Amino acid sequence: MTLDTLPLAIILPACFVGGLGLGYAYFLALRETARLIVAQGHPLIGLALTLGRLSLLCAGFYVAVLAGGAALLAALAGVLCAKVILLRAAP
């Protein structure tokens, strides 16, 4: 059984929740990268965080693409909702 054969009632909520997790991790890593830049931290840590968050996001979206276009949109919606949640909770 592949991802595109599962019913949409299972795929879409799963992709949305996965997108929330991806977005949460992505924007927390982005916040940490910005903090490192401002505090003049070690540049290799910032580079590793940047490459890690981009790789994680690309891998998550690739899995969503395997499930179809609607699943990709659901994952994107999850990422954007995580962004809104983290921006509202910003200190």
Side-chain angles (χ1 to χ4, degrees), residues 29-49:
L30 180 61
R31 182 182 292 170
E32 183 64 23
T33 302
R35 189 193 63 74
L36 277 170
I37 291 170
V38 170
Q40 296 181 351
H42 202 274
L44 287 179
I45 296 173
L47 180 64
L49 279 171

Side-chain angles (χ1 to χ4, degrees), residues 21-67:
L22 282 173
Y24 190 76
Y26 180 87
F27 290 109
L28 281 180
L30 180 61
R31 182 182 292 170
E32 183 64 23
T33 302
R35 189 193 63 74
L36 277 170
I37 291 170
V38 170
Q40 296 181 351
H42 202 274
L44 287 179
I45 296 173
L47 180 64
L49 279 171
T50 300
L51 292 176
R53 67 183 159 91
L54 288 174
S55 299
L56 181 69
L57 193 67
C58 288
F61 281 152
Y62 178 74
V63 170
V65 164
L66 293 177

Side-chain angles (χ1 to χ4, degrees), residues 3 14-16 23 26 28 30-31 39 43 52 55 63 73 83-84 87:
L3 287 177
C15 284
F16 181 77
Y26 180 87
L28 281 180
L30 180 61
R31 182 182 292 170
S55 299
V63 170
L73 289 175
K83 177 184 175 185
V84 169
L87 283 177

